C-alpha cells in the first residue's frame, strides 16, 4: 500500500526555507482521492526540481497508514501533525465523532491551541497564563482572542475567566463596548488567532503566515508578533472595521487610503512559497471544498439507508456546485486575467480604520483615515478583479460603478499609471471585476454548503445565507457571459 501511495503521490523534492524555519519535513504533498492534504506540490515546477541550495534532493516526510473504522487514514509524521487533522471523509459508524468539531475544532481544542501558541511565543511561559483574555470572534475558520500579555501563575483562580465580546462570522480586531472591554483596549494587548482544521483543509500549511509577514513589513497590515502552525499573533489595532459607506466617494479619504494599500499589496512580488504564481488560488480553494462536500454527501447517502434522511436545497448539492464552478472556470480561463498577490477575502470587514478613523465614515472624511488590512489567511496569487469586486459587490448597482471607478483612479495613481493611460486602466479593471463577480458569490455558496453539513445545528441560517448569495450568482452570471463575449469580440 505504501508503494502505491508513493506512486500516486507527488512529493516536493526540495525543502523550502519557510518549512525549514518551521521544522516541517514536507512541503505540498498531494494524493489523489484523499481530501484534507495540502493541495499543491512543487514537483511540476522545473525550478524546484533540485534542492535550491545545491544539495541533493530528499524526502523527509513519512506517510503513516492507520486503519480507522474500515477506512485508511493518512497522518503526516511532522510537528504540524496535530494541527493538520488530516482525514479521509466522514468516519463511518463512529457515534463519538462530532463532524463540526472535526472541521472547525472544538472550543476546548482552540483554548488548548491558544495556550500552546502563547507558550511558543514566550508571551506566557509554561505554567503561566495571560492575566486576561477576551474572545473576539469564533469564526468558521479560526478562533480569535484579545490577550493582555501580562501573565500570572496558571494555578491562580483570579482573573482567570475569559470574557466574551460580541461574535461575528469573520470578526476582526473590533473589541467589546463594555467598560471591561474598554479597559482591555487601553493596555498593551495582542490579537491571537488559532487556526482550525477547516483552515488546514482549504490552505497549504507551508503558506501560513507568509503574506501576514509581508504585509507587516510593508505597513499594509498589523505587526506580526509571532506565528507558527498553530496560529498567529498580531499587535492589536484600536479602531473599527470598515463599512460599505467607507467605500463611497463621499468618504474620499478612506477610499483613497484603501485603494493605495491594496495597490501596494497587488504590486508586491508573489512569495516563492506559492508554487504556481500564474494560477489563481481560488480554484484550489473551491476544489478543496468540493471534495469535502462530495465525501460528506457519500456519507449522508449511507446514513439515509439506515432511515435518516438529509435534504439540501439544489444549489447546495455537490453536482450543482461542481457544474457552476466548472462553468465559471471555463469562461474565465478564456481570458488572461491578471493574477497578483491578492488578499483573497477583501470584504470591507477585513479593512481596519484607526487613528482618527474610529468614528463614522463622515467623521473620517474630516481627518486622515489610517488603514490596515487584516485576515490574510486566504492571501496569495489570485485574480486582481476578485479583490476589487469583493470590496464593492454589496453596494447598490447604481452606486457601485461610480465608487469603483473613483477607487480605481486612486489605485492606478499608486501603481504609477500615466495620466493618458488611466482611463484605459480603469476600463480594463472594471471588466475584470464584472466578469469575476459570479465567482465571488459561488465561492460563498460552496462555503456555506460545506458548513451546513458539518454544523447542521444552524441549518436555517446557513441555507438563508447561501440562498441570498445564490440569487446574486444567478443575477451576475448572465453579466459574466455578456462581458466575456464583448471582451473576446474586442480582441
Amino acid at each position: 500500500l505504501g508503494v502505491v501511495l508513493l506512486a500516486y503521490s507527488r512529493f516536493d523534492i526540495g525543502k523550502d526555507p519557510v518549512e525549514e524555519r518551521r521544522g516541517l519535513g514536507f512541503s505540498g504533498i498531494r494524493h489523489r482521492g484523499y481530501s484534507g492534504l495540502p493541495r499543491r506540490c512543487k514537483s511540476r515546477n522545473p525550478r524546484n526540481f533540485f534542492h535550491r541550495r545545491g544539495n541533493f534532493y530528499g524526502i523527509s516526510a513519512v506517510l503513516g497508514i492507520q486503519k480507522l473504522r474500515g477506512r485508511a487514514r493518512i497522518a503526516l509524521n511532522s510537528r504540524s501533525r496535530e494541527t493538520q487533522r488530516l482525514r479521509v471523509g466522514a468516519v463511518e459508524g463512529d457515534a463519538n465523532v462530532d463532524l463540526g468539531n472535526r472541521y472547525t475544532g472544538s472550543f476546548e481544542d482552540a483554548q488548548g491551541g491558544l495556550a500552546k501558541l502563547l507558550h511558543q511565543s514566550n508571551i506566557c511561559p509554561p505554567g503561566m497564563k495571560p492575566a486576561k483574555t477576551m474572545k473576539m470572534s469564533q469564526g468558521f475558520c479560526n478562533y480569535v482572542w484579545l490577550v493582555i500579555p501580562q501573565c500570572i501563575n496558571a494555578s491562580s483562580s483570579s482573573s482567570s475567566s475569559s470574557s466574551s465580546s460580541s461574535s461575528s462570522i469573520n470578526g476582526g480586531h473590533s473589541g467589546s463596548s463594555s467598560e471591561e472591554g474598554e479597559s482591555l483596549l487601553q493596555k498593551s494587548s495582542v490579537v491571537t488567532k488559532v487556526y482550525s482544521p477547516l483552515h488546514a483543509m482549504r490552505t497549504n500549511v507551508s503558506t501560513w503566515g507568509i503574506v501576514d509577514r509581508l504585509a507587516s513589513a510593508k505597513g499594509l497590515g498589523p505587526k506580526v508578533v509571532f506565528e507558527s502552525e498553530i496560529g498567529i499573533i498580531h499587535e492589536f489595532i484600536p479602531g473599527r472595521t470598515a463599512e460599505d459607506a467607507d467605500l463611497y466617494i463621499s468618504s474620499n479619504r478612506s477610499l483613497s487610503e484603501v485603494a493605495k494599500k491594496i495597490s501596494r499589496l497587488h504590486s508586491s512580488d508573489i512569495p516563492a512559497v506559492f508554487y504556481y504564481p500564474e494560477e489563481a488560488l481560488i480554484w484550489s480553494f473551491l476544489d478543496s471544498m468540493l471534495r469535502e462536500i462530495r465525501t460528506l454527501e457519500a456519507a449522508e447517502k449511507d446514513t439515509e439507508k439506515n432511515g435518516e434522511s438529509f435534504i439540501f436545497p439544489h444549489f447546495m448539492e455537490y453536482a450543482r456546485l461542481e457544474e457552476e464552478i466548472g462553468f465559471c472556470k471555463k469562461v474565465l480561463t478564456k481570458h488572461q486575467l491578471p493574477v497578483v498577490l491578492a488578499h483573497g477575502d477583501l470584504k470591507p470587514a477585513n479593512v481596519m480604520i484607526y487613528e482618527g478613523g474610529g468614528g463614522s465614515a463622515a467623521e473620517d472624511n474630516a481627518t486622515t483615515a489610517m488603514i490596515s488590512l487584516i485576515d490574510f489567511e486566504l492571501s496569495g496569487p489570485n485574480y486582481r478583479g476578485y479583490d476589487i469586486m469583493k470590496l464593492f459587490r454589496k453596494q447598490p448597482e447604481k452606486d457601485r460603478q461610480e465608487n469603483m471607478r473613483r477607487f480605481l483612479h486612486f489605485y492606478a495613481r499608486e501603481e504609477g499609471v500615466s495620466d493618458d493611460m488611466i482611463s484605459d486602466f480603469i476600463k480594463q479593471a472594471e471588466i475584470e471585476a464584472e466578469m469575476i463577480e459570479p465567482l465571488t458569490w459561488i465561492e460563498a455558496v460552496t462555503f456555506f454548503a460545506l458548513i451546513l453539513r458539518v454544523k447542521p445545528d444552524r441549518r436555517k441560517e446557513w441555507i438563508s445565507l447561501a440562498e441570498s448569495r445564490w440569487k446574486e450568482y444567478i443575477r451576475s452570471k448572465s453579466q459574466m457571459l455578456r462581458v466575456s463575449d464583448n471582451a473576446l469580440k474586442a480582441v
Side-chain angles (χ1 to χ4, degrees):
L1 182 58
V3 172
V4 173
L5 286 175
L6 287 171
Y8 278 85
S9 300
R10 302 188 186 95
F11 290 94
D12 173 27
I13 46 182
K15 293 183 181 179
D16 186 273
V18 174
E19 292 158 358
E20 291 180 342
R21 170 172 58 83
R22 290 177 173 159
L24 303 180
F26 71 97
S27 68
I29 303 171
R30 179 184 180 185
H31 183 272
R32 298 184 185 89
Y34 285 89
S35 59
L37 287 170
R39 293 202 67 261
R40 292 180 176 274
C41 66
K42 294 190 204 173
S43 57
R44 287 184 290 177
N45 188 339
R47 293 179 303 171
N48 297 312
F49 191 79
F50 294 102
H51 197 297
R52 289 183 178 179
R53 297 182 180 177
N55 298 329
F56 193 67
Y57 62 85
I59 299 172
S60 57
V62 179
L63 284 178
I65 307 301
Q66 302 173 335
K67 280 289 183 179
L68 179 59
R69 299 281 174 176
R71 288 197 174 196
R73 221 177 156 189
I74 293 184
L76 291 174
N77 298 324
S78 71
R79 273 190 355 185
S80 67
R81 178 173 174 175
E82 65 180 75
T83 57
Q84 284 288 67
R85 319 263 182 121
L86 302 181
R87 69 246 170 247
V88 184
V91 182
E92 294 180 349
D94 193 340
N96 297 320
V97 174
D98 182 344
L99 266 183
N101 288 344
R102 286 178 63 247
Y103 283 82
T104 60
S106 68
F107 184 65
E108 290 74 20
D109 288 340
Q111 285 183 311
L114 173 63
K116 289 179 182 178
L117 192 59
L118 293 175
H119 294 164
Q120 286 181 350
S121 63
N122 287 325
I123 288 178
C124 279
M128 305 291 286
K129 62 182 179 181
K132 197 73 175 177
T133 63
M134 183 172 68
K135 188 176 69 177
M136 301 176 67
S137 169
Q138 181 177 329
F140 298 129
C141 291
N142 304 301
Y143 292 81
V144 184
W145 284 271
L146 180 65
V147 177
I148 295 181
Q150 292 87 351
C151 296
I152 59 175
N153 194 299
S155 61
S156 172
S157 60
S158 62
S159 302
S160 61
S161 61
S162 297
S163 59
S164 297
S165 65
S166 57
S167 296
S168 63
I169 288 176
N170 277 300
H173 293 60
S174 57
S176 170
S177 59
S178 65
E179 291 182 6
E180 182 181 30
E182 291 298 326
S183 176
L184 280 170
L185 302 186
Q186 293 171 3
K187 299 180 180 180
S188 175
S189 304
V190 292
V191 175
T192 305
K193 182 180 298 183
V194 176
Y195 299 136
S196 78
L198 181 58
H199 173 70
M201 182 273 290
R202 290 205 295 173
T203 58
N204 188 334
V205 64
S206 67
T207 66
W208 295 357
I210 297 299
V211 181
D212 292 86
R213 286 195 174 278
L214 183 148
S216 174
K218 287 179 171 284
L220 306 177
K223 180 182 177 181
V224 175
V225 177
F226 179 81
E227 56 96 7
S228 75
E229 65 273 12
I230 294 176
I232 191 165
I233 301 176
H234 292 105
E235 67 173 351
F236 175 72
I237 299 177
R240 66 176 180 86
T241 54
E243 305 165 357
D244 285 330
D246 296 301
L247 301 175
Y248 274 67
I249 291 178
S250 57
S251 300
N252 202 45
R253 292 184 184 274
S254 58
L255 184 64
S256 65
E257 290 301 314
V258 172
K260 290 175 183 178
K261 294 277 186 178
I262 296 171
S263 177
R264 288 172 60 192
L265 176 66
H266 288 181
S267 299
S268 302
D269 292 334
I270 297 174
V273 71
F274 293 101
Y275 313 134
Y276 306 112
E278 72 282 358
E279 293 182 8
L281 273 181
I282 182 63
W283 305 119
S284 172
F285 297 153
L286 289 169
D287 286 347
S288 297
M289 290 190 286
L290 281 176
R291 284 200 309 275
E292 298 297 323
I293 292 171
R294 180 178 59 188
T295 304
L296 291 170
E297 274 195 6
E300 289 155 8
K301 290 178 182 178
D302 291 341
T303 307
E304 285 176 358
K305 294 177 183 177
N306 297 326
E308 187 177 352
S309 61
F310 296 86
I311 301 175
F312 297 98
H314 70 94
F315 54 83
M316 300 181 82
E317 293 178 350
Y318 168 78
R320 187 62 187 272
L321 289 170
E322 183 187 40
E323 177 186 351
E324 296 301 334
I325 290 170
F327 167 81
C328 290
K329 190 169 186 178
K330 183 178 179 181
V331 173
L332 293 176
T333 51
K334 292 178 182 178
H335 308 271
Q336 292 183 337
L337 299 177
V339 173
V340 299
L341 181 61
H343 184 282
D345 191 23
L346 195 58
K347 53 193 175 187
N350 282 335
V351 176
M352 287 294 300
I353 300 178
Y354 62 102
E355 290 296 326
S360 66
E363 291 171 345
D364 294 342
N365 197 34
T367 60
T368 301
M370 303 296 290
I371 300 297
S372 179
L373 307 178
I374 60 173
D375 292 346
F376 292 92
E377 285 82 8
L378 301 181
S379 297
N382 216 335
Y383 295 124
R384 176 175 64 184
Y386 190 88
D387 268 3
I388 295 170
M389 179 49 72
K390 286 209 76 169
L391 266 181
F392 294 94
R393 65 177 183 171
K394 289 189 177 180
Q395 291 188 5
E397 204 161 343
K398 60 183 179 64
D399 299 325
R400 180 200 296 173
Q401 187 179 54
E402 186 179 13
N403 294 328
M404 186 185 291
R405 284 179 178 173
R406 185 62 176 169
F407 167 89
L408 289 172
H409 178 83
F410 293 127
Y411 181 105
R413 288 284 190 189
E414 182 67 19
E415 223 175 65
V417 178
S418 60
D419 291 343
D420 59 328
M421 295 297 293
I422 282 184
S423 179
D424 291 339
F425 177 90
I426 292 174
K427 183 179 179 180
Q428 176 59 35
E430 275 187 299
I431 291 173
E432 294 169 28
E434 290 176 4
M435 204 181 301
I436 285 172
E437 183 182 0
L439 187 61
T440 69
W441 296 117
I442 198 64
E443 185 272 341
V445 175
T446 306
F447 182 78
F448 287 120
L450 175 58
I451 291 295
L452 173 61
R453 287 164 170 81
V454 300
K455 288 287 186 182
D457 54 314
R458 293 164 65 181
R459 177 185 178 88
K460 288 185 178 180
E461 179 183 355
W462 307 144
I463 292 177
S464 175
L465 289 168
E467 185 176 19
S468 64
R469 285 149 180 80
W470 174 257
K471 290 178 180 178
E472 293 295 336
Y473 169 73
I474 294 300
R475 173 195 59 78
S476 57
K477 184 178 176 181
S478 57
Q479 172 185 280
M480 169 195 271
L481 286 171
R482 175 179 55 79
V483 174
S484 174
D485 290 343
N486 291 341
L488 290 173
K489 290 176 182 177
V491 173

